[in-house]
Amino acid sequence: MQSVIAQRTLPALSQVTTLPGWSNAFKSLAGPCLVAGFRICGFHSASRPESDRLKKSNTPFVRCTMTANYLKRATDTYLHHAKSNASQLQARGAHWSVERERGHNFRPATEIIREEEIIAALQATKSIAKDPIAIRDVLQKAHDNALLRNTSQEAPQSGSEYVQGLSVHDAAVLLNMDENDSGAMRQLFETAFAVKERIYGNRIVLFAPLYLASYCVNQCTYCAFRASNKAQQRGVLTRAELIAEVEALQRQGHRRLLLVAGESPKYTFDQVLDALRTTASVRTEPCGSIRRINVEIPALSVSDFKRLKATDCVGTYTLFQETYHRKTFARVHPAGPKSDYEHRLLTMDRAQLGGIDDVGIGALFGLADYRFEVLAMLQHAQHLEDTYRAGPHTVSIPRIQPAVGAPDSAGGGPRPVSDKQFAKLVAVLRCAVPYTGMILSTRESPEMRRMLLKLGVSQMSAGSRTDIGAYDKLERELQSANTKAAQREQDLANTCTAESKDMLAQFTLQDLRPMDEIVRELLEDGFVPSWCTACYRKGRTGAAFMAIAKKGDIHNYCHPNGLLTLKEYLLDYATPETKRIGESVMLREEDTITSERAKSAYRRKLDRVALGEHDLYF
């Protein structure tokens, strides 16, 4: 006689119990079978020790014989149990995003992230990575693919972003290179920078994260917001506080924000939607407005992605897998809805079906082998490209930083990534996915950020804070007659202490410089700071964006648009020194517009901006 373990999974599967002795005859039912809100985990030989173990672990389960009505009985039993514990399920965040649609079918996670293929590639390329000629050939391929020079039969699908980048095998060769080999690293870095310059030019898009709430029901061992962290002070922005935060950010010159929230019934998805609309409505003098709002919020259902799309306020939806390594994922996510690997991995598929075609993926480096994470991200990007004709709009590359009450955040994480390894992986990613924006946060030091900009990074945060209400608080302190408060903030920026100042931050930041200082450094280093949002406003997203980028044409739009937004910043927010340097850069960059027709059109818009008209773009 066999028995079945059924576990509640709507809207997201909590940690699944794996039992020994699965019956091969019923393995096809394990995992994907959803009946009345349950996932059939699999069949096992009934035994009292196993039942006792489940009871001791507080895992909800039912056990019944395999009669014709066993599913109905299992469902009825568990629903009765769930109803009596509704408040407990709500506290776990089980109702943050409910799927109201049925019938969506997705590829299994094991077909998207193929761990055996990754491990085999890393093993097979160890010796190849020591061959200078082999390395040169891979780098030449990366260069030619990105610049559309590969017309051989080797790349018949030239319209594919993945083909125009690098395969898992080729990327594994570069990842296995010795990061201490200065000659090889120089070749890699030069190739990555050339690819970035060809696709994105010298523009660096700037944005700031805005944290809406710090409550979370998950137990991520690397995050200060984890539910069991008693040292963490919690907070939620009221509508008035949110407006004050947005106003403070606008007065810095920001046009692009990333709204961030944890998974908790204390800050619901409906509140996120309200925050989106509120943020989009805020205006400050002289011409402050937020033109693109990206979101980094918990995994959503298809039906809720459609609600997100319907706000007409959202740009990119971002969600990190954190780690693609399954065993590591299970260890660092011991409890909470986030502990469901497959549900999280398929979030971007649900986003595409829900109408959100600009998505951002990422891994938190320091949890597992960084080489594995990079190759897994390539597989994820390939899946999105193959399935929806658009790879991820952005790839984020955060590295673990210390966080209060987060044991796996110490020392760079369980698998720390050195600065040299980090620089290598950034360059490899740029070669492997040339048309995807690469985001760098203020987790890294000013020196590291400055170096990585030359390895392929195209977007970075500026003037960031990760604690609730921090922007308005900082602005009031700096404006206060109390000079000690202002000095305290400056001292924090100079020392970058290992723990956050008020126990509200999600993790430690390493670059706390104000926006204007970062803008000035970018200008001095030959970059063009940009707050451009034209592609999003003109519908150049998803597959439409990739079609332009793959032809190498996106620079023709983004370069003049970036310069127009830079002119706005110099007029409205820049310090005199930054304005002086910026005006010189703009004169230099105008000469790089080779088409006289395009240059004339740019000059006409630039003159209108100088007269006070804003938000002009091609």
Side-chain angles (χ1 to χ4, degrees), residues 469-500:
Y471 297 109
D472 178 56
K473 177 183 178 182
L474 173 59
E475 184 179 63
R476 285 186 283 106
E477 284 187 351
L478 293 176
Q479 291 175 348
S480 171
N482 184 350
T483 57
K484 290 184 179 180
Q487 185 61 46
R488 183 170 66 251
E489 187 65 35
Q490 185 60 49
D491 290 343
L492 179 68
N494 291 336
T495 59
C496 292
T497 54
E499 293 186 351
S500 60

Side-chain angles (χ1 to χ4, degrees), residues 55-68:
K55 290 177 181 178
K56 290 179 180 178
S57 66
N58 294 320
T59 300
F61 76 99
V62 291
R63 187 161 61 88
C64 60
T65 58
M66 287 178 54
T67 60

Side-chain angles (χ1 to χ4, degrees), residues 184-194 423-424 427 454-455:
M185 288 299 103
R186 183 174 62 254
Q187 295 178 55
L188 171 62
F189 296 164
E190 289 174 353
T191 302
F193 189 65
K424 179 176 70 173
K454 299 184 182 299
L455 303 184

Side-chain angles (χ1 to χ4, degrees), residues 270-344:
D270 285 322
Q271 288 174 284
V272 170
L273 297 181
D274 289 340
L276 269 168
R277 299 185 185 97
T278 298
T279 301
S281 70
V282 176
R283 299 291 186 273
T284 54
E285 294 295 334
C287 297
S289 64
I290 302 303
R291 299 172 185 168
R292 182 178 176 108
I293 308 172
N294 301 330
V295 294
E296 185 178 328
I297 57 177
L300 298 178
S301 62
V302 174
S303 50
D304 278 341
F305 271 119
K306 290 180 178 180
R307 296 175 64 201
L308 184 65
K309 178 69 174 179
T311 65
D312 199 28
C313 296
V314 69
T316 300
Y317 173 85
T318 298
L319 187 78
F320 302 159
Q321 187 67 16
E322 311 294 9
T323 175
Y324 287 91
H325 191 262
R326 287 174 174 81
K327 287 185 178 180
T328 303
F329 185 95
R331 187 187 69 77
V332 300
H333 303 108
K338 191 174 175 178
S339 62
D340 184 348
Y341 181 100
E342 180 162 343
H343 185 267
R344 191 168 185 85

Side-chain angles (χ1 to χ4, degrees), residues 457-468:
V457 168
S458 58
Q459 297 186 30
M460 62 190 294
S461 53
S464 301
R465 297 294 183 272
T466 63
D467 37 329
I468 306 301

Side-chain angles (χ1 to χ4, degrees), residues 18 27 45 53 56 59 72 83 118 134 186 211 239 276 332 349 410 463 580:
T18 301
K27 277 187 177 179
S45 301
R53 181 175 66 82
K56 290 179 180 178
T59 300
K72 182 179 184 303
K83 185 176 180 181
I118 294 173
R186 183 174 62 254
Y211 280 69
R239 187 176 188 276
L276 269 168
V332 300
D349 294 74
R580 182 188 65 79

Side-chain angles (χ1 to χ4, degrees), residues 119-184:
I119 295 171
L122 289 172
Q123 184 64 33
T125 58
K126 284 184 177 180
S127 59
I128 301 175
K130 298 177 182 179
D131 183 351
I133 296 177
I135 291 173
R136 184 193 63 193
D137 290 344
V138 172
L139 292 175
Q140 188 63 50
K141 183 187 296 185
H143 184 271
D144 291 347
N145 285 352
L147 274 61
L148 303 178
R149 292 178 182 170
N150 194 336
T151 58
S152 68
Q153 294 181 355
E154 184 180 339
Q157 301 173 356
S158 59
S160 166
E161 176 191 13
Y162 180 70
V163 170
Q164 290 180 358
L166 291 177
S167 67
V168 167
H169 180 274
D170 288 338
V173 172
L174 301 182
L175 288 166
N176 272 326
M177 291 168 57
D178 181 3
E179 57 270 14
N180 294 310
D181 184 339
S182 58

